[in-house]
Amino acid sequence: MNPSSQPRKQQIPVIVLAGFLGSGKTTLLNHLLRNRAGNRIGVIVNDFGAIEIDAMTVSGQVGSTVSLGNGCLCCAVDASELDTFLETLTGPAARLDVIVIEASGLAEPQELVRMLLASDNPHIVYGGLVEVVDAAEFDATRERHPEIDRHLAVADLVVLNKTDRVGSEERARVRDAVAAAGALGGGAPAVIGATYGRVDPELLFDPALRPDGEEKTRQLTFEDLLLAERGEEEGGAGHAHHLHAAYDSVSFASDVPMNPRRLMEFLDSRPQGLYRIKGFVDFGMGDRTNRYVLHAVGRFLRFDPQPWKRAEPRRTQLVLIGSGIAPQTLHKELADCRENTAPGPDTAQDAAHERSMWGVLRYVQRPGDDA
């Protein structure tokens, strides 16, 4: 079995950021640009007013694209230009790691999600719909914009912002209301609390991995100065630790291959609050040739088979990220997905092994498939 063609370039996650006026999504967006975990972020907005460009170094502007001094790019577009700018931002010249679409003024969040999932751009992968909600004004927002329930029903992650403005009982009530609205979509988005739009960037995307020396030799950026100043004010790693405390992460590793059917049962019944799963899976006799890169965000699931490298250890490594999850329970459930015994070197693949992979292969994108 060899469902993979030539190995593809790493796909760029595209995150949709939504929220009604006053929710704090612009604050969250600017927070990500200043705390980007080494990533080069492309931002697509309806107008430049959403980005605090004056507070950053602008290294150049060509048409409706502004280059920021930290390697990030910002594009002001309308909905009809979205595909064109995604093509530009995913080109090799842009050298971006993540793209964030600020939904205001472009299109309804669910329409943007549909556009991304139907896109034939091979360089992008859906990175989730993040809905920002004002905890202190949720009831008033719901009265003015009843469509917020529709937004929550398709969200993968809800950031309950401005939690410092409500008491613990009110915070719990709003959180329950948000979760209940989200569950109407057939799933259950993860819900995390925040103040001033501050969320840990690693909740949304992975830290960038740069070639040796590339980040070390770059010029000092505004982001570096801001982080250094904040570190002095907060006494070291206090800020990052506080943001990380808003969610849980579970690391799982196994030298015993995973049973495809058991793992798919686990993935099909992901618990409420589990937002992202990343890593790679060894399916043993299911496919001796490939390891399967796993990318799950909210309800979205994708496997990408990639050939094992020569002498690479055959093992599964996964990281699960969410809020309100039970780490020990998830770890045990994953351990129960392992094969009972590891295959021997002379074990032959048979039809039963191939059939066990059918559930996995439904989530493998092939050339010409919609995303």
Side-chain angles (χ1 to χ4, degrees), residues 44-47 64 75-86 101-107 112 115:
I44 296 178
V45 295
N46 186 240
D47 64 76
S64 56
C75 301
V77 308
D78 60 39
S80 65
E81 301 172 303
L82 184 59
D83 280 336
T84 300
F85 275 85
L86 280 175
I101 300 176
E102 207 266 45
S104 294
L106 276 175
L112 287 172
M115 291 169 68

Side-chain angles (χ1 to χ4, degrees), residues 122-139:
H123 306 302
I124 65 173
V125 64
Y126 178 60
L129 169 58
V130 180
E131 181 80 17
V132 185
V133 172
D134 184 339
E137 298 292 334
F138 177 67
D139 292 334

